[in-house]
Amino acid sequence: MFRRPRRNRKSKAVRFHAQETHLHPRQLIYPLFLVDGQGIKDEVKSLPENYRWSLDLLLPEIESCLEIGLDSFVLFPAVADHLKDQVASYSYAEDNFYLKALQTIKEKFPEACLMTDVAMDPYSSDGHDGLVHNGEILNDETLDILAKMSVAQAQAGADIIGPSDMMDGRVGYIRESLDEEGFTDVSIMSYTAKYASAFYGPFRDALDSAPKSGDKKTYQMNPANQREALVEADLDYAEGADYMMVKPALPYLDIIQLLKTNYDIPIAAYNVSGEYAMLMAACQNGWLDFEKAMPEMLLSIRRAGADVILTYFAKAYAKRFRDGKLG
Ligand code: PBG
């Protein structure tokens, strides 16, 4: 045997030479949930070790992330029911606590990269990402609301706008609105291939944002489809997206790879709440070893082609990376 593949696995040093994929904490984006109020750190039951934070407690949390080399965050608001309406007007209201919080975080930690979420569901009394009329989701009428929300978030200091709504044409519409207001440097990370997935359950618990009726299948993609992701990607690319995201990540690694091979902009993947919950549940039961399974899970997403990963494991990974505990 002249070729013995095991030689390249013989020691830690040699294994590292042969290692094709690496994952640095700066490639991670940490999702955080915000609530209005003070002194709140309320654990999301289906998302262990993740909390709904009030701003006063979130600030030190962000600081502790920055200290360990985790500098990117995606923020989601948990909005009180009485502030929700059919047109999501609170999403761009003057006194919106989420927008005020963004501004404060940005002022305190200018080096933090802040990504926002653009979709109607956290603010909608219908719990849908778009406007609901007679049980249907209105596409074009939703665009204006999404654009107002995006501009408000850019004004508050967002670095990256993240449209997660899956309405047609929204990336271009948002890009134009941002540019008209002078926010040409604000990036758009489009949720390009977002599937109608069962893995969003714990996230909807966190925000109490589940649809009041129906499901999201008329706008989120059919989990059976691969080529359709290229249709979405072509549009988002043409409309000026700076990053394209695949969501969820693990059950859709083929889609991540497809976008990575076909496009020349950064590809992101969202390791969603259900993927996190699944691993945590197994680890809490003693069925899987967290220290090994967690980095393996993240590395697989990176190996499939993700340049950035949005993950609830971000802080846990960054800590272990800093302590030299990862491969
Ligand atoms: C909604 C939105 C969802 C997530 C991010 N933005 C859920 C949904 O579409 O219902 C899910 C994230 C996760 O599960 O971690 N616009």
Side-chain angles (χ1 to χ4, degrees):
M1 283 187 266
F2 295 108
R3 196 147 286 291
R4 285 182 179 268
R6 286 188 53 198
R7 265 200 295 272
N8 282 348
R9 299 176 204 139
K10 70 179 174 190
S11 65
K12 196 171 179 192
V14 166
R15 280 195 295 277
F16 198 83
H17 299 160
Q19 182 160 330
E20 299 172 37
T21 310
H22 299 273
L23 180 62
H24 194 277
R26 298 189 103 153
Q27 293 166 312
L28 302 178
I29 301 181
Y30 193 24
L32 294 166
F33 304 113
L34 259 155
V35 277
D36 202 6
Q38 277 235 321
I40 304 169
K41 181 184 175 185
D42 175 21
E43 189 171 31
V44 183
K45 276 200 185 65
S46 51
L47 213 55
E49 292 167 37
N50 283 268
Y51 307 87
R52 296 181 203 86
W53 302 89
S54 56
L55 180 63
D56 55 333
L57 299 187
L58 185 66
L59 290 170
E61 173 66 9
I62 290 181
E63 189 168 22
S64 73
C65 290
L66 293 170
E67 278 165 7
I68 58 170
L70 176 61
D71 64 0
S72 299
F73 307 91
V74 54
L75 300 154
F76 296 98
V79 176
D81 269 343
H82 73 275
L83 294 171
K84 299 183 183 184
D85 60 22
Q86 286 183 308
V87 294
S89 52
Y90 185 67
S91 64
Y92 50 87
E94 253 335 276
D95 59 347
N96 177 312
F97 80 91
Y98 174 73
L99 297 172
K100 285 199 267 185
L102 277 174
Q103 209 170 343
T104 308
I105 299 167
K106 201 65 205 173
E107 276 163 15
K108 275 208 105 156
F109 308 112
E111 72 276 32
C113 178
L114 302 185
M115 174 169 162
T116 55
D117 184 59
V118 171
M120 285 177 63
D121 55 332
Y123 314 94
S124 152
S125 45
D126 294 304
H128 273 288
D129 294 20
L131 262 178
V132 182
H133 186 66
N134 293 335
E136 291 201 8
I137 310 295
L138 302 181
N139 192 89
D140 299 10
E141 291 78 352
T142 299
L143 298 182
D144 206 44
I145 298 170
L146 300 176
K148 282 192 184 129
M149 205 185 296
S150 305
V151 168
Q153 293 171 356
Q155 264 157 359
D159 299 283
I160 305 174
I161 302 289
S164 66
D165 55 285
M166 289 301 279
M167 295 302 117
D168 293 336
R170 91 281 205 208
V171 171
Y173 200 97
I174 291 171
R175 183 71 272 161
E176 267 182 43
S177 308
L178 290 173
D179 290 357
E180 270 167 27
E181 297 295 326
F183 296 111
T184 50
D185 281 342
V186 173
S187 312
I188 297 179
M189 181 186 291
S190 177
Y191 287 61
T192 294
K194 177 172 179 180
Y195 287 85
S197 171
F199 289 88
Y200 308 147
F203 176 95
R204 293 179 190 170
D205 295 341
L207 299 194
D208 188 21
S209 64
K212 296 289 180 285
S213 67
D215 52 40
K216 298 191 174 186
K217 288 181 185 168
T218 67
Y219 45 106
Q220 298 182 347
M221 283 176 58
N222 181 346
N225 292 356
Q226 186 187 66
R227 290 161 60 240
E228 193 183 353
L230 294 174
V231 176
E232 288 288 355
D234 274 350
L235 288 167
D236 283 358
Y237 189 90
E239 290 173 33
D242 301 286
Y243 306 66
M244 293 199 284
M245 187 208 291
V246 175
K247 177 181 177 189
L250 281 186
Y252 298 88
L253 294 178
D254 57 325
I255 312 298
I256 297 173
Q257 189 169 35
L258 186 70
L259 294 200
K260 178 68 168 198
T261 36
N262 282 285
Y263 295 90
D264 52 11
I265 57 174
I267 303 301
Y270 200 142
N271 179 217
V272 300
S273 57
E275 300 171 54
Y276 175 90
M278 196 162 65
L279 187 76
M280 287 302 274
C283 293
Q284 288 179 343
N285 268 295
W287 298 337
L288 284 175
D289 178 348
F290 181 82
E291 299 304 325
K292 297 193 173 100
M294 183 273 288
E296 181 178 337
M297 186 188 248
L298 294 182
L299 197 63
S300 75
I301 300 168
R302 171 95 184 103
R303 190 191 63 235
D307 299 289
V308 247
I309 305 174
L310 293 82
T311 179
Y312 303 93
F313 293 118
K315 195 177 182 189
Y317 186 91
K319 243 190 230 153
R320 286 159 181 77
F321 186 92
R322 183 210 46 188
D323 296 343
K325 286 191 183 145
L326 300 167

